[in-house]
Each structure stands twice: as C-alpha cells, then as structure tokens.
Amino acid sequence: MNVLVFLIPIALFLGLLGLGAFIWALRSGQFEDLDGEALRILDDEDDKPLKD
Amino acid sequence: MGCCGIRGENECIAPGSAALWMREDGEGGYVLHLLVPGMEGLEDIRAIEKGLKALPGVTEARVNYTLKQVKVRWRDPAFDPDAIIDTLEGLGFSARPFDPDEAGVGAEDREGRELLLALAVAGFAAGNIMLLSISVWAGAEGATRDLFHWISAAIALPAIVFAGRPFFRSAWAALSRARLNMDVPISLAVLTAAMMSLYQTVNHQQHAYFDAAVSLLFFLLIGRYLDHRMKVRARSAVSQLMSLTATGATVLDEEGRRRFLPMENLQKGMKVLVAPGERIPVDGTVIEGASDVDLSLITGESTPEPVKEGSRVYAGAMNLTGPLILRLEAHGEDTFLSEVIRLMDSAEKSRHAYVRIADRLAALYAPVVHVLAGGTLLGWLFITGFNWPVSLLHAIAVLIITCPCALGLAVPAVQVVAAGVLFRNGIMLKSGSALERLAEIDTVVFDKTGTLTLGQPRLMDTGPVSTEALAVAAGLARGSSHPLSRALLAGVEARGITPEPVLNVVEHPGRGLSGRWRGVEVRLGSRAFCGVGEEVPETDMPQIALVIEGQRPVLFTFEDTLRPDARETVARLRQAGLRVEMISGDREGPVRAMAQALGIDVWRAGWTPQQKLAYVEGLAKAGAKVLMVGDGINDAPALAAGHASMAPSTASDIGRTAADIVFLGQSLSAVWLARLVALRARRLMTQNFVMALIYNAFAVPVAVLGYATPLFAAVAMSASSLVVVSNSLRLGLIDRRLRRGFALKDGAAGRQEAHEKKKREAA
C-alpha cells in the first residue's frame, strides 16, 4: 500500500495541472471567440515559402 | 436594448458621434467597441484588422467573430475615432459603436465565464473523487478507506462551495421570495450530502456520498452552461440586427450650420434636417421642403405618403425623395414611439405571469421530496428507537437520491437542442419560455404589411399600356429612389423591355418626376401632377401616372409582394386546426384582397396600435392563446400582449424587442417550423419528466428502506441523467430530416407522407 503515497499525489497533481491549464486558457480569453479562432487557424497569408 | 432607434437600410453614423462611445482603457489609452454585423469569413477578419491597424495611432484592432464585434485601442488623445468608422465603411462594412456595458450586446460575458469555471472545477473534483470512490467500492477498508474519504472530503468541500454557488444563489433568491424552485432541493441535497459524508468520515464509517454530490453539480452545470451559451448567442444575434442608427438628429442652428446632437440635447422648436433616405428621428412639423415618407413601420400603410410644409411627421418614418426641415415638436418621452412603448410595457405584464413548466413542477416536486425525507426520518427514529445517526443517514439518502438531477436537465437539455435547431434555420428564440408558450397557441394573428408581405411594391398587370409607354416610364423612374419608381423599373425590366433614354430628369419631391423624351415633356408621378382627372376612378392600391405630352395619361398600379410560402404557411396552420386572422393598419382594399388571396376569413383594416392591442387582449380574455406575428411599431403592443409573438428580422427595432422570436430570411414558413419544433420540444420534455419520475418510483423506495449505498446513488443518478440527455438529443433529428428535404408535418400525417415518399423512391 506504500505505493499510494506516490500515486495519489501524482494523480491529484495531474488533475490540478489540467484544471490550471483550463483556467489559464479561460483567463487569457481563449474561449471568447470560438468561431473566429476556427477560421484564424487557416490564415497563412504571412507565411512565406522557404527559399532554396 | 435601445428602443428609440428604428432600423433602416442606408443609415449611417453622423460625423462626430463615435467619440460618444469611446472609453479610457485604464492603461493611458482609449478603446472603442463596434458592432460589425456584415463580416463573413476569414477574408473579412483579415481585411478589418489590417485596415484598422494601418490607421496612424491605432495600437490594437481585434475582431471577435463569434459576436461580430471589433475592439480598437489607441493612445493618442488627438486621434479621431470617426476615422475608424470611415475606414470600415471604405472596406464595405457598416459599423455601429456601442457601449460594452449596455445590456444585451454583451462583450463581456461574466456569467458564462463563472459557469465555465464552476464546470471545470466540478469536473476535476468529480473525476478525482470518483477515482477514489471506485477503490472504496472495490473493497478498500479500514485506514485506507478513511484516507480515501479524507482526501475526497478535501477535494469535495471546496469544490462544492465554489461550483455550487449558481445553485445556492438561485435557491436563496427563491426562498427569500417564499417560493420553491428546482434549485432548492438541489442545494439541500448537495449540502446535506456533504455534511453527512463529513460526519461519516470523521466517525470512520462507510457511507460517504462525496462523489454523488460533486458529480450531481457537474451534470447540472453542463446543462446550465449550454443553456446560457444558447441564450448569449441568440441575444447577440438579435442585437446585431439592431439598427446602425445614431440616437440623435442633425440640427440647423441660427446661422444655418449643421450639427449632430444626441437625443438628450434636443429641444422643442429646434430645426431638424432630414436627408432623403434617412429615418425621421423626431416628431415634428415640416417647415421647409417636400417629400414622400414611408409610414409602413408606423401605420402599416403600404403606399408612401406625400408631405409638404405644414405636414406633421412622426419619428420612425422613412424620408424618401426630398430633404426636409422640421420644427421639432416632441422627442424622447413625448413621441408617438414612446406612447407605443408605454402601451407595450403594460401589455407585457401578463406574459411575466407565465410560470414555466419546470417551475410549476418544482412547486409540486420539492414539497413531496421534503415530506418523504421527513417521513423517512420519523419512520427510522421510531423503528430504531431514536437512533439519530442512522435515521438521519437514511433521510439524507432519500434527499440525495431524489435530487432532481434528471428533472433539472429535462428542460434545459431540450431547450438547448431546440434552440440550436431553430438557430440553424434562422429562427432566434429570445427567451426560454417562448418555446413552451409557442407550443400552447391555438390562434395566429398576422399583421399584413411587412409580415405577410415583404413591404415591397410590385408592378401589377399593366393591361393595354403600350410597350413604348412602359419604356418611357422606366426611363424616367431610373432617376429616382422612390419605392414605386424602383418597383416600376424592376417590373418593366422583368417584362424584357429596355428603358428609353429620357433627358433632363428632374425630381419634384412629393409629386413626381419630369423630363424630356424625343422633344416632348413626359411626367411620372401623382395623379394631380400628371393631370389625371376625376373621370378615372381611384383605387385602394398604390398608383402612379405617366403622361406623355399630347397623349392620354396612363396609370400603373402596384401591389405588395407576398412573402414566399405565405399562402402555404397559412394553409398549413389552418390545417393544423389553428385559427388564422389578419389585422392591419392599411386601408381596406389591399387588406381585403390579401385576405381573399390567402383564404383568411377574419380580417380587420385601418387599425391603430391601441385597437390591435385591445383585439389581442380581447382574444386572450376569451381564452384564446394568441401567436401574434408582426413587424411594425404599430404592432409592438400587440406583440407584447400575445401569448407568444414572432417578428421578421426586417421589423422595426421595437417590434423585434417586443417579439419572443425573431426569424431571418423572407420565408414565412419560419412560423410554422417554430411551432413544430415547439410541439416536439414539449413532447420530449414531457417524456423526460416521465422518465425521471419512473426513476424516482424505483429509487425512492430503496432509499426509504435504507438500501441506498453511495455506489447505488452514483450509478442511479448518472444513469438517469444520461437517459434524459440522450432523449433530448433526438430533437436534433428534425434538423437532419429538414436538410434531407422531407416535408415535415404534424405527427401521423408527417409519417404517412414520409412513408409514401419512401415508397415512391423505392418504386
């Protein structure tokens, strides 16, 4: 049962990590314009082809 | 929502007005929010952002495509924000600055963020606690079980406090008004479950319901968040339809200079300038100029009315042909429009009294549950000889198991799917209860101009008029933006006739057009202008005359264009057993003709807003559930009084504000489709309620008898929620069938038709 001493904190840490990432995304406005982001990802105007 | 603006097609912001909406951004710069409803696709996002960033001084330009808004920041106080609007107009977008704090437009959706955050926390907590609970159910005992319970408590208690706030607040609000809603039993169950589980944990016992309490919140928050998102989307769609009108007027001062003044700075007696193509912003008397004004949004009248010096005009009318100078007589509080708003507000009260299905059920359900739990407590106290811990445990188990998780999802889940289906078909619900009310209607009352018709005149059969006359008339009409001129030109071109070139065309506002054709004078306009005598009888339909010098004058008659599907929609509604009626502010002739064409037996013409309101209220008093469909300012009170109401997106602002449901596009079949979806939605809600009750019928006895273990509670509650949600999703199938082109009909008739179609296809 000693393994629990590691496993439970690890499980909780990973869960908290996910929660933290979500809260960060929410706070930084990534859920404000879902339709817009879906389009913006296709924007490649400023990408220049590599010169060889 | 601004009720004072009237929607127009060509209106734009007067110069100098954008500065009214700019704000300091708290970082030493300025910020302006704009609505740009016309943006469509990635190209537009890029064009807008690039164009605005190119302005000298602009530090940030960000499009929010979901809400069709643009946020622009700059630092230089000398920067003129009108340049932003000019730039957008140069790119082909009309833009309206707005105040992000103004209700309804919603740049910042705080409630949505809070719900999403609560959902995330509940999701995290539910997942981790479930992980621990499963090991407990799998047989963890003694110290291990206690440890797991303690960790669960450490996660669950803060999570419940945080994620439960939306429910606790709503429950508290209901209780403090001495009412019961679904959130009361929900809050009670969650809180008592948490308390009891903590007590069990402290005393090294096995009945901890942390997982049930948290996953309950998780499920309910999903429903609530979806519900909220749908509402925000519909609301922002409606606000985008709102006018691009500046709330103000162009005023001429003593020295003859023009100035744009906001509404609140206007005073009686001021001279107001109204250019052709603009909406008249105030009530007043014409002191200079002549023109035609389109009153269709105010009175329902389909023919434009000529005005000259001394005529009284009302806010909301469209000035068509010539510039007008008005002496302001009333504005803001004293206009015809505000009278309509007063009528509307009083009419709306009856609708506020409507109690939604879920709340009606909650009022029954909550007391039953609480009595059951109380009974369980007393029963167990009696049986166990006053063993309080055990009796309380069983009583709380009853509360948890009956917690209306499925009931709480039954309505929002259906609502979200229904609103989504309607949204994709261009129909926007403005309130959740609209769907429930729409399902109850038995009478449909239509307005005529702009509702059953498109409010656009169309040239009728011209009979014996020569091709040459038509060509000359079209040549003259080319020079005017009067709706009848445009209709004439379109009608002639549709007949394959090329307009004749007419020289020296002059527009005489309020009267007509004159010009020279092959050396003779030609005139197109009112009967008097063209010298049509009394010998030609007048009709109720709008007419214009053409006279070519030396020839007899000819008359062109116009009719209003019927909306596509209007005939079919009326027929279908009647087939479904609904009473269909028409009330209009227009004159009797066109109304009667329309009623006969559509097969509507009950119709009224020439009615004022007061009469329309009184009629709808009268029907309601007689027990009818009226769906009012209208668009004008004159329909707004009647729309507010209807049991449910719909308006086309071309309606006046106030008409859209008053209506529950707004539909896009020209087709009137939206009325029928919305009712169909509402009926299906009601059926699904009923099914969901029945399923939730069946679940309770099994689960409650188990809990009362004391067999509701935490495992049982977790499985039973999740299962019932999933069943309810998946049943609700079935409503989405309507959409698929619509896309496949199945003719949708009510119940059996629809199935019959679909069956026959399949047979035909097979054969």
Side-chain angles (χ1 to χ4, degrees):
Chain A
M1 279 302 180
N2 285 338
V3 73
L4 285 179
V5 178
F6 301 103
L7 283 184
I8 289 174
I10 289 172
L12 286 181
F13 172 74
L14 288 176
L16 279 173
L17 204 66
L19 184 64
F22 178 78
I23 291 173
W24 168 77
L26 189 67
R27 288 260 157 89
S28 62
Q30 298 190 31
F31 288 84
E32 309 264 292
D33 182 15
L34 295 173
D35 297 347
E37 303 302 346
L39 290 174
R40 279 174 203 274
I41 197 165
L42 300 172
D43 185 1
D44 52 10
E45 185 176 82
D46 295 333
D47 281 359
K48 303 225 166 53
L50 283 173
K51 281 180 196 141
D52 49 2
Chain B
M1 218 172 272
C3 296
C4 311
I6 318 297
R7 185 177 174 276
E9 296 75 30
N10 313 315
E11 287 155 288
C12 56
I13 300 295
S17 57
L20 295 174
W21 279 276
M22 75 186 219
R23 298 272 177 278
E24 287 182 27
D25 67 355
E27 292 162 29
Y30 301 89
V31 62
L32 182 71
H33 294 262
L34 300 113
L35 277 177
V36 187
M39 62 170 93
E40 200 68 62
L42 179 61
E43 298 297 318
D44 290 356
I45 299 183
R46 220 154 51 190
I48 291 172
E49 290 187 347
K50 259 192 164 168
L52 291 178
K53 274 180 194 152
L55 284 175
V58 170
T59 52
E60 187 196 333
R62 180 83 186 170
V63 168
N64 184 327
Y65 186 73
T66 316
L67 300 173
K68 304 276 198 287
Q69 295 171 357
V70 184
K71 186 167 80 177
V72 187
R73 284 176 196 273
W74 66 93
R75 296 196 148 266
D76 183 4
F79 178 77
D80 179 12
D82 282 328
I84 297 169
I85 293 171
D86 291 343
T87 309
L88 286 172
E89 261 161 25
L91 291 167
F93 300 101
S94 50
R96 182 179 88 107
F98 72 95
D99 181 358
D101 301 326
E102 183 188 326
V105 184
E108 296 276 320
D109 178 17
R110 284 202 196 86
E111 199 192 338
R113 271 179 159 214
E114 193 196 307
L115 280 174
L116 204 55
L117 206 57
L119 181 62
V121 170
F124 160 77
N128 283 284
I129 295 170
M130 200 52 88
L131 215 64
L132 298 165
S133 295
I134 285 173
S135 1
V136 174
W137 300 330
E141 277 185 330
T144 318
R145 188 182 66 202
D146 280 352
L147 174 69
F148 284 2
H149 279 172
W150 275 113
I151 298 172
S152 299
I155 303 171
L157 294 177
I160 287 170
V161 170
F162 183 80
R165 283 180 309 170
F167 304 96
F168 303 153
R169 261 204 304 261
S170 151
W172 180 248
L175 283 178
S176 57
R177 275 179 289 140
R179 290 237 191 88
L180 281 174
N181 62 11
M182 278 296 178
D183 290 333
V184 175
I186 289 171
S187 304
L188 204 64
V190 170
L191 288 176
T192 50
M195 290 301 147
M196 189 196 60
S197 306
L198 193 63
Y199 173 82
Q200 294 266 327
T201 306
V202 171
N203 291 303
H204 313 289
Q205 290 180 346
Q206 53 175 338
H207 285 285
Y209 290 93
F210 290 119
D211 55 281
V214 177
S215 48
L216 189 79
L217 282 180
F218 181 59
F219 279 122
L220 287 167
L221 280 167
I222 294 177
R224 208 145 294 196
Y225 177 67
L226 289 177
D227 199 33
H228 174 80
R229 232 183 71 176
M230 208 63 232
K231 257 188 245 158
V232 168
R233 218 159 84 177
R235 214 165 41 196
S236 94
V238 171
S239 69
Q240 275 155 33
L241 291 172
M242 267 179 23
S243 66
L244 299 169
T245 342
T247 48
T250 311
V251 171
L252 280 177
D253 62 13
E254 284 88 45
E255 289 113 61
R257 277 180 313 204
R258 295 172 182 201
R259 244 172 353 134
F260 183 82
L261 288 181
M263 261 321 170
E264 55 271 23
N265 296 357
L266 296 179
Q267 278 166 13
K268 255 183 201 170
M270 280 181 161
K271 286 182 185 175
V272 174
L273 187 78
V274 188
E278 266 183 16
R279 288 264 174 217
I280 295 171
V282 291
D283 289 4
T285 309
V286 179
I287 52 173
E288 222 181 299
S291 180
D292 298 88
V293 292
D294 176 2
L295 296 171
S296 59
L297 281 182
I298 302 179
T299 59
E301 171 93 44
S302 47
T303 321
E305 190 175 286
V307 293
K308 53 180 197 298
E309 275 164 48
S311 311
R312 193 155 160 66
V313 290
Y314 296 100
M318 174 72 95
N319 182 19
L320 294 171
T321 45
L324 290 175
I325 299 177
L326 316 175
R327 180 166 309 283
L328 197 158
E329 278 170 2
H331 70 95
E333 288 300 293
D334 316 316
T335 54
F336 170 73
L337 194 61
S338 11
E339 170 63 23
V340 166
I341 293 172
R342 268 195 293 280
L343 282 173
M344 200 174 94
D345 287 345
S346 69
E348 237 166 13
K349 286 196 184 96
S350 65
R351 194 181 292 171
H352 288 313
Y354 182 84
V355 184
R356 299 188 54 177
I357 294 177
D359 292 333
R360 268 183 276 170
L361 208 75
L364 286 175
Y365 187 80
V368 171
V369 166
H370 298 157
V371 166
L372 259 175
T376 310
L377 178 68
L378 290 180
W380 278 97
L381 280 177
F382 183 71
I383 291 169
T384 56
F386 292 91
N387 184 342
W388 278 95
V390 170
S391 310
L392 265 177
L393 175 72
H394 293 324
I396 290 169
V398 169
L399 273 184
I400 296 173
I401 219 87
T402 54
C403 177
C405 189
L407 284 179
L409 282 169
V411 173
V414 174
Q415 207 109 65
V416 167
V417 182
V421 169
L422 290 175
F423 193 83
R424 280 192 291 280
N425 287 290
I427 302 167
M428 283 164 295
L429 288 179
K430 282 170 55 195
S431 78
S433 71
L435 206 63
E436 292 173 23
R437 285 184 273 117
L438 187 60
E440 293 176 355
I441 55 148
D442 55 19
T443 307
V444 185
V445 178
F446 284 102
D447 165 51
K448 184 180 81 72
T449 318
T451 306
L452 284 170
T453 71
L454 289 170
Q456 294 161 358
R458 203 168 51 119
L459 183 60
M460 282 171 77
D461 187 19
T462 47
V465 178
S466 68
T467 310
E468 190 183 65
L470 279 169
V472 172
L476 266 169
R478 239 185 337 207
S480 161
S481 61
H482 192 287
L484 292 182
S485 302
R486 278 190 286 191
L488 179 72
L489 184 61
V492 170
E493 282 177 341
R495 286 164 171 78
I497 300 166
T498 322
E500 283 282 322
V502 178
L503 304 174
N504 306 338
V505 177
V506 181
E507 182 151 20
H508 308 272
R511 297 193 292 159
L513 299 146
S514 67
R516 297 198 80 78
W517 171 72
R518 292 189 188 162
V520 295
E521 193 184 354
V522 287
R523 287 178 162 204
L524 180 73
S526 68
R527 296 163 64 101
F529 183 63
C530 296
V532 178
E534 295 296 319
E535 71 277 3
V536 187
E538 292 209 31
T539 64
D540 278 330
M541 313 297 256
Q543 281 187 323
I544 49 175
L546 170 79
V547 63
I548 300 174
E549 207 179 331
Q551 293 184 23
R552 279 168 55 93
V554 287
L555 282 168
F556 300 104
T557 310
F558 297 86
E559 61 178 357
D560 208 349
T561 326
L562 211 58
R563 272 181 193 270
D565 303 1
R567 216 177 296 264
E568 206 187 353
T569 302
V570 169
R572 273 178 161 169
L573 289 171
R574 284 160 62 102
Q575 234 172 28
L578 299 169
R579 262 165 56 198
V580 179
E581 304 183 1
M582 173 162 72
I583 54 180
S584 175
D586 204 354
R587 282 164 303 167
E588 199 182 320
V591 178
R592 186 192 302 120
M594 181 67 58
Q596 278 163 359
L598 292 173
I600 297 175
D601 318 318
V602 186
W603 52 270
R604 301 281 189 283
W607 270 11
T608 62
Q610 285 86 349
Q611 284 174 305
K612 286 190 173 190
L613 171 62
Y615 184 69
V616 171
E617 282 180 337
L619 282 177
K621 225 167 252 155
K625 305 270 190 214
V626 180
L627 168 67
M628 177 73 204
V629 189
D631 74 319
I633 296 171
N634 59 334
D635 298 317
L639 284 170
H643 191 63
S645 50
M646 289 182 79
S649 62
T650 49
S652 58
D653 261 8
I654 182 163
R656 278 196 306 258
T657 308
D660 296 315
I661 301 164
V662 176
F663 62 95
L664 299 168
Q666 296 199 331
S667 168
L668 203 61
S669 62
V671 174
W672 173 80
L673 178 67
R675 176 172 173 271
L676 184 82
V677 172
L679 286 176
R680 296 260 159 112
R682 187 173 62 177
R683 198 190 312 156
L684 281 174
M685 281 180 204
T686 318
Q687 284 173 4
N688 284 350
F689 283 139
V690 169
M691 278 194 272
L693 290 178
I694 291 175
Y695 150 79
N696 275 307
F698 283 105
V700 168
V702 175
V704 170
L705 296 176
Y707 293 112
T709 59
L711 175 60
F712 177 80
V715 172
M717 281 194 331
S718 311
S720 73
S721 302
L722 289 178
V723 167
V724 165
V725 171
S726 23
N727 187 44
S728 309
L729 290 176
R730 293 197 308 135
L731 188 61
L733 296 179
I734 281 194
D735 210 21
R736 282 239 303 277
R737 280 173 54 181
L738 282 177
R739 238 174 280 145
R740 266 191 280 152
F742 269 86
L744 277 166
K745 286 239 174 104
D746 291 331
R751 275 195 292 278
Q752 181 71 27
E753 187 161 305
H755 184 68
E756 277 166 14
K757 186 165 179 173
K758 243 185 217 162
K759 264 206 312 214
R760 273 201 307 275
E761 275 168 7

